[in-house]
Amino acid sequence: MSSAQERAKTLAQEMKRAIMEAKTAEARAKRLGDEVLLALAEAKKEAEAVSEIIEYPVGRYECKQCGTGSIFSQTYRELPACDNCGSHEYVGAEPTITKITAPPPKKYSSGMYECTGCRTRIVLAEDMDMLPPCDICGAHKLRAV
């Protein structure tokens, strides 16, 4: 074989390897993108759950199941299990509910965005007022996916 033909064969094999690596990386990026979206949804749920704090004050409580009386000497966010039957439901002092007001929403919410120039996908992990430029082409035109 000629040296040019051998070089072409070698380059073809390298190109085939590079294409396979690119396909593998694309599949991994897609999977990671799905995982990021799930994590962002969980983070949003956690943030909503933290916006309301329920505290049970010090006092005497009676178990709804078995009627056993208990005196709690400290405030609780979740009442402990009844020593007698294991229930978490009590009759007693009304809990104090504190609602935490969230800051005003940002202009762009967290999630997946796509560059309109090179079609590269970018993930925003938190809400922002200004979108960052594309990591690949530097364009400032991103749209939500």
Side-chain angles (χ1 to χ4, degrees):
M1 257 196 260
S2 69
S3 64
Q5 194 175 21
E6 289 175 7
R7 197 174 91 219
K9 197 175 196 179
T10 304
L11 289 173
Q13 289 173 346
E14 286 182 34
M15 188 172 166
K16 188 176 182 179
R17 257 194 315 269
I19 290 171
M20 290 302 292
E21 289 172 2
K23 286 182 179 181
T24 303
E26 184 179 359
R28 183 171 181 259
K30 186 176 190 294
R31 182 179 47 80
L32 288 173
D34 293 342
E35 289 178 14
V36 164
L37 292 177
L38 288 174
L40 289 173
E42 288 177 19
K44 193 172 272 190
K45 281 184 183 178
E46 288 174 359
E48 289 172 0
V50 173
S51 68
E52 187 173 281
I53 299 173
I54 300 172
E55 289 184 328
Y56 295 91
V58 173
R60 184 179 185 290
Y61 291 83
E62 191 173 295
C63 178
K64 278 187 177 180
Q65 294 281 331
C66 64
T68 302
S70 298
I71 296 176
F72 297 134
S73 60
Q74 65 183 23
T75 59
Y76 286 99
R77 290 210 175 165
E78 290 184 17
L79 291 174
C82 174
D83 293 334
N84 192 33
C85 68
S87 173
H88 289 274
E89 295 183 27
Y90 290 88
V91 175
E94 290 295 317
T96 56
I97 299 173
T98 307
K99 291 193 183 246
I100 299 171
T101 56
K106 303 281 185 169
K107 188 173 179 182
Y108 301 100
S109 62
S110 59
M112 186 82 67
Y113 289 81
E114 185 176 70
C115 176
T116 57
C118 65
R119 303 193 49 97
T120 300
R121 290 192 171 194
I122 297 170
V123 176
L124 293 182
E126 55 189 40
D127 298 347
M128 297 183 159
D129 284 327
M130 288 181 53
L131 289 174
C134 174
D135 295 336
I136 304 299
C137 69
H140 287 278
K141 295 180 181 176
L142 300 176
R143 66 175 180 82
V145 177

